[in-house]
Amino acid sequence: AFMQGEGVYSTDNVILSRTEGRITGLLLSYPAEARSVPPLLKTFVTEKRLAAIRPVLEQAEPKSWYINTLWVEGGLENNIHADALLLEARSRSQQTGCTSLSVFCWKDNTAAHAFYARHKFTEGRTFSPELLPLEGHSQGGVLLVAPVA
C-alpha cells in the first residue's frame, strides 16, 4: 500500500525504528490537510462502509501534522521507540510550519490514550459510535491534538 513518491502513503512519510536489524516500530505521518480516502481503499470497501468511515479519514485539525500510524513492537507503554518516533513526528511538523500534532484514536484504546496523554495530547473532535458503526469499537473515537512546541 505504500508508494514511492506518491501522496500521503509515500515511503517519504514513513519512518522505521530498528533493533538489531529487526523493524521494531513504524511511523506514518503527514500534513493533516492532505488527509483523504485512500484510492486503494475505494477498490475493496463498499460505498456504504466508506460513507461510515469517511469522517475519520477526512477529518483534519487545521495546521496539524497528522499521525496516521504509530506502531511499536511491545506496545506504546514505556516504549523508547514510540517516544522516539513521536519526537520525529514533532520535528517534521515543525519543519513544515504545522502548529500541532493530531491522531485519531478509538476511545476504547486505553494504552494509546495513556501514551498520548503523557505527551500532552488532549481530546479534540469526538466521533460517536453511531457515526462510526464499526465492530469492536462501541465507544466511538476521538481526534487527539497536541501543540508542537
Side-chain angles (χ1 to χ4, degrees), residues 94-131:
Q94 291 171 326
Q95 291 169 14
T96 59
C98 291
T99 57
S100 63
L101 295 170
S102 61
V103 61
F104 173 83
C105 190
W106 294 109
K107 285 194 171 191
D108 57 8
N109 189 342
T110 56
H113 279 273
F115 171 78
Y116 288 115
R118 187 165 55 86
H119 289 281
K120 311 288 189 239
F121 281 74
T122 58
E123 288 194 8
R125 180 177 177 197
T126 59
F127 299 88
S128 71
E130 295 78 29
L131 180 63

Side-chain angles (χ1 to χ4, degrees), residues 61 122-126 142-145:
E61 180 73 15
T122 58
E123 288 194 8
R125 180 177 177 197
T126 59
V142 63
L143 190 67
L144 301 175
V145 181

Side-chain angles (χ1 to χ4, degrees), residues 7 13 21 30 41 47 66 70 86 96 99 108 114 131-132 138 143:
N13 294 328
Y30 43 80
L41 203 58
E47 277 301 318
Y66 184 73
L70 176 56
L86 187 59
T96 59
T99 57
D108 57 8
L131 180 63
L132 297 173
S138 61
L143 190 67

Side-chain angles (χ1 to χ4, degrees), residues 48-99:
K48 183 178 179 181
R49 181 82 158 168
L50 207 50
I53 61 174
R54 187 178 295 276
V56 172
L57 297 173
E58 294 180 342
Q59 175 65 29
E61 180 73 15
K63 293 192 162 231
S64 177
W65 188 261
Y66 184 73
I67 299 166
N68 178 297
T69 304
L70 176 56
W71 168 85
V72 288
E73 183 177 76
L76 292 172
E77 296 180 49
N78 302 318
N79 191 309
I80 61 170
H81 298 285
D83 293 340
L85 289 169
L86 187 59
L87 185 62
E88 181 59 31
R90 210 174 279 280
S91 174
R92 285 182 174 211
S93 69
Q94 291 171 326
Q95 291 169 14
T96 59
C98 291
T99 57

